[in-house]
Structure formats: C-alpha cells, structure tokens
C-alpha cells in the first residue's frame, strides 16, 4: 500500500504527531519491513529440538514417576533462566493484546502483529516441550508459576504512546535475544543451547523489524522519537518482571552472567543506539535535544553502575576461588 507523503515535523509544538497519524505514516515502512522479514525468516520445527524418546510419564492419571532434581543435567543457573524465559514467553496473550490494541489488526500492521504472535507462540511451545520431556524442571511448580504469572496479565508500561511502544520493543526483543542466547551457553545441555540459539535468532529478526521502524520514526518525528527513546531507556524493565520470585531469579541470572547491567548496557542498549546513531542525530528542536542529553547522562551513569557490578562480581568470584583452594 502506498500512502501520501508524510508531513514532516521537527518540533513538539501544535504540529506534534498523534499516534494515529504515526501509525498511518509508518504503514509503508511496516509493509517493507514485513516483506523483508518474511524473506529472511526461515521455517523451523519446534518438535525437532525435543528428545521425545527421553520422556517419561509423571504421577497422576498415568501413575508415572515423580520429578526429582537429579532427573536432568541442566545446571541450576540454566534451570532458573529457562523457567524465566519460558514464563516470559507464556504471557503472549497479554503481549498480543497490547500490540494489537496499539498497532491495530488491519493492513500491514495487522499482518505483522499476527505473524509475530505466531512466531512467539513457537518459543513457548518448544521450551515447554523440551523442559518437560527432559525433566529439567519441577512440572507442578512450573504449572503453578505459569498460572499465577498469566493470571496477573501483562500491561505495557508504554501503552499510552505509540513511539514509546516501538522504542520499547526494539530494545526488549534484543534483550530477549541475548537472554535466550546466554541461557543456552550456561544451560549445560547442547540441545538446549541449540534450541535457544534458534529462538534467539527469531528474537533478533523481531528486533531488526522494530529497530528499522524506530529509524523511520526518528526521521519522521525526530524530537518525539528521541523523547520516546530516552523515556524507554531510562525506565526499562524486562517483560517478565511480574513472574513470581522474579527479583530473586533476576539476581541469580545477573550473577551467573546471563543478563546483568553490563550486558544490558553493552549488548542491548548500545548496539541499537549506535545503529540508529541516536547520540549523533543533529537538527533537533529543544525537546529533542533535552531528551538526547538526558539519554547521554543516563548511559554514562549506567556504564559506571555496570563497572561497579563487574568489580563486585570479580571480587566475589575471587573469594569463591580462594575458598576452593
Ligand atoms: Fe520469544
Ligand atoms: Fe520476539
């Protein structure tokens, strides 16, 4: 679909872009990015990553064997991270609701929303089948956590703003990619590593889609997009923050090197910001300039915080190593 040339706006004055106008103005970009996505996304089969022959019945209807922690060789860190990743994927109905409400279900936007939902659905299916077949986690505990997490629902922090929503998903898809990939590295199971690499690849393509959309938004409405990026980056939290026991799990995940401040700064925020040249964009109005400056101050502070975390972590590891000698 081709639309009329978009009206350019460089300040937040009376000509500020509304969400409805932005959605219309970006439809052409969505169509182009959707085409590109469909060309590069390769079909893959979640069931091929599940060792079905290792599966055993559980107690209850089939009178099988109760789960025991020794049933699987997945590392304790891998178990925690895999459960957080799966429960995060599980809340897909809420995520679908949020983006379908924001972006709509018609035209290229709608096609993307539904395609994205179908791809994300594969992640939860594959992870659950893998975890239950390999008996890597307590199945009753997992089911109770899923019920409790999904029953809470997920409400986007950015539902009030189209640009904030696009900015958030650009960073969040990359955060999810890195989290899956690093979970695979530390899981202690080559098959889990392969499955998580496959999922991480999907998340990367999702990130590219939203990042390219954010690039177009920065061209159309630079001041508003800069404000949205600054707001999202300075107030970012992972989509799984509502998972029961999330704080404790997140601390283990941070200490284990799956996802922490250093990774968030170096592998998630900076690659997107650098690609979009966010800190170098010129010609901004006063509002855009202020947002850019806030972003710079925040990133410096985060980098310093990450360095402190790294130093404490190195000291902790040195103490553990000394104790083992
Ligand atoms: Fe996913
Ligand atoms: Fe994704």
């Amino acid at each position: 679909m081709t639309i009329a040339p978009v009206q350019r706006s460089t300040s937040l004055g009376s000509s500020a872009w509304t969400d409805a106008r932005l959605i219309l103005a970006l439809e052409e970009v969505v169509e182009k990015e959707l085409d590109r996505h469909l060309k590069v996304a390769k079909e893959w089969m979640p069931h091929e990553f599940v060792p079905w022959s290792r599966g055993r019945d559980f107690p209850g209807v089939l009178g099988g064997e109760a789960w025991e922690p020794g049933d699987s060789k997945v590392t304790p860190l891998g178990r925690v991270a895999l459960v957080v990743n799966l429960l995060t994927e599980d809340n897909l109905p809420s995520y679908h609701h949020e983006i379908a409400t924001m972006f709509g279900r018609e035209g290229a936007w709608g096609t993307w929303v539904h395609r994205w939902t179908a791809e994300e659905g594969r992640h939860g299916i594959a992870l659950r089948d893998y975890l239950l077949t390999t008996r890597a986690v307590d199945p009753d505990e997992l089911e109770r956590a899923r019920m409790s997490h999904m029953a809470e629902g997920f409400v986007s922090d950015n539902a009030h703003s189209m640009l904030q929503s696009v900015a958030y998903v650009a960073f969040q898809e990359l955060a999810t990619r890195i989290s899956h990939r690093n979970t695979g590295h530390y899981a202690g199971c080559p098959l889990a590593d392969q499955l998580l690499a496959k999922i991480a690849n999907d998340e990367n393509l999702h990130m590219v889609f939203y990042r390219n959309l954010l690039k177009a938004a920065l061209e159309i409405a630079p001041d508003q997009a800069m404000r949205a990026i600054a707001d999202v980056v300075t107030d970012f939290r992972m989509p799984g923050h509502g998972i029961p026991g999330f704080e404790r799990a997140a601390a283990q995940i941070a200490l284990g090197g799956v996802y922490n401040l250093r990774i968030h700064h170096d592998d998630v925020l900076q690659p997107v910001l650098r690609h979009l040249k966010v800190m170098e964009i010129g010609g901004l109005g006063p509002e855009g300039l202020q947002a850019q400056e806030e972003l710079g101050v925040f990133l410096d502070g985060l980098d310093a915080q990450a360095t402190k975390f790294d130093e404490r972590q190195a000291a902790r590891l040195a103490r553990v190593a000394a104790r083992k000698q």
Side-chain angles (χ1 to χ4, degrees):
M1 186 182 111
T2 307
I3 54 161
V6 295
Q7 185 188 325
R8 304 224 162 224
S9 162
T10 53
S11 85
L12 289 179
S14 55
S15 60
W17 287 80
T18 61
D19 282 358
R21 284 178 64 211
L22 276 164
I23 284 170
L24 187 63
L26 288 169
E27 173 110 21
E28 206 171 3
V29 184
V30 170
E31 196 175 31
K32 193 179 111 221
E33 288 302 319
L34 178 63
D35 276 355
R36 192 194 49 73
H37 177 84
L38 295 175
K39 280 194 191 101
V40 293
K42 287 195 186 72
E43 183 187 51
W44 62 276
M45 297 296 161
H47 49 269
E48 291 178 7
F49 291 83
V50 180
W52 301 101
S53 61
R54 278 159 55 190
R56 278 182 285 144
D57 295 344
F58 288 107
V61 185
L62 296 172
E65 295 159 58
W67 177 83
E68 284 179 35
D71 282 353
S72 153
K73 288 200 169 49
V74 163
T75 61
L77 171 63
R79 186 174 292 160
V80 170
L82 276 158
V83 168
V84 166
N85 291 6
L86 172 54
L87 292 175
T88 302
E89 297 282 354
D90 274 340
N91 241 351
L92 182 58
S94 279
Y95 308 144
H96 172 85
H97 176 270
E98 294 298 274
I99 68 163
T101 306
M102 174 55 74
F103 300 146
R105 294 191 294 165
E106 289 84 39
W109 279 105
T111 309
W112 166 256
V113 165
H114 291 121
R115 168 74 192 208
W116 174 88
T117 303
E119 290 185 11
E120 292 291 355
R122 190 182 270 162
H123 301 166
I125 291 168
L127 284 172
R128 173 163 286 95
D129 286 349
Y130 167 83
L131 289 174
L132 295 182
T133 306
T134 62
R135 290 182 166 243
V137 293
D138 181 337
D140 295 353
E141 218 177 273
L142 179 67
E143 178 59 8
R144 289 190 187 115
R146 186 192 66 80
M147 281 298 293
S148 139
H149 180 44
M150 287 189 75
E152 285 291 314
F154 170 87
V155 180
S156 165
D157 294 333
N158 307 292
H160 59 288
S161 156
M162 148 76 187
L163 284 173
Q164 275 197 217
S165 298
V166 172
Y168 177 74
V169 285
F171 293 107
Q172 173 269 316
E173 291 284 2
L174 185 52
T176 314
R177 175 208 182 184
I178 299 293
S179 173
H180 282 310
R181 200 187 63 186
N182 290 347
T183 297
H185 289 170
Y186 291 105
C189 167
L191 188 59
D193 194 19
Q194 278 184 62
L195 169 60
L196 288 159
K198 205 77 183 159
I199 295 175
N201 190 48
D202 284 358
E203 310 295 19
N204 192 50
L205 293 180
H206 299 161
M207 177 279 288
V208 171
F209 178 92
Y210 286 124
R211 186 195 63 193
N212 292 352
L213 208 52
L214 189 56
K215 184 173 192 284
L218 273 165
E219 285 162 12
I220 294 171
D223 290 295
Q224 276 174 265
M226 189 62 75
R227 178 77 264 159
I229 293 170
D231 287 348
V232 162
V233 167
T234 55
D235 212 16
F236 187 89
R237 51 182 187 162
M238 292 295 258
H241 61 78
I243 290 171
F246 180 75
E247 299 288 317
R248 193 165 174 269
Q252 287 172 272
I253 284 167
L255 288 173
V258 171
Y259 201 95
N260 54 37
L261 283 184
R262 175 53 60 207
I263 292 168
H264 183 60
H265 178 274
D266 291 4
D267 300 342
V268 175
L269 298 181
Q270 288 293 359
V272 174
L273 295 171
R274 270 200 305 267
H275 183 91
L276 298 175
K277 300 188 170 57
V278 167
M279 300 313 292
E280 290 128 61
I281 289 174
L284 294 166
E287 298 88 351
L289 276 174
Q290 196 189 326
Q292 196 179 37
E293 205 179 300
E294 281 173 30
L295 194 56
V297 170
F298 176 83
L299 289 169
D300 288 346
L302 186 67
D303 193 25
Q305 251 183 294
T307 301
K308 270 193 202 140
F309 173 87
D310 289 346
E311 286 166 359
R312 279 201 305 270
Q313 172 75 339
R316 198 184 68 90
L317 292 174
R319 279 198 304 277
V320 172
R323 251 182 261 138
K324 278 185 185 157
Q325 278 172 4

